[in-house]
Amino acid sequence: MPLPRTTFPIAEGIGIFVGVVAWDFLADGHMEPGRALLIAVSCSLAWYGVRCWKEKSRNRQD
């Protein structure tokens, strides 16, 4: 049986992006989409790394 592949956290990245944009808008009155995109991409990459690491360690135990 094939093992499920680790998926990239797209929904989480979009949620982080929207959250950072909303925080900027509510706190300062203007949006910085470039900064929000940078934060969302870096958090998504970190979360993807954690998912891959967990999947790799889970496969070693089996």
Side-chain angles (χ1 to χ4, degrees):
M1 184 185 309
L3 296 173
R5 298 192 64 161
T6 304
T7 59
F8 191 78
I10 294 173
E12 290 89 341
I14 293 171
I16 292 169
F17 175 78
V18 169
V20 171
V21 166
W23 183 274
D24 281 345
F25 186 70
L26 291 173
D28 297 334
H30 67 281
M31 296 181 283
E32 296 182 30
R35 187 179 129 225
L37 184 64
L38 181 65
I39 292 170
V41 167
S42 61
C43 289
S44 294
L45 287 172
W47 190 247
Y48 181 67
V50 168
R51 282 185 180 182
C52 288
W53 176 71
K54 285 177 67 175
E55 186 67 32
K56 188 176 181 181
S57 65
R58 185 179 303 144
N59 288 338
R60 283 187 192 169
Q61 292 176 356
D62 292 339

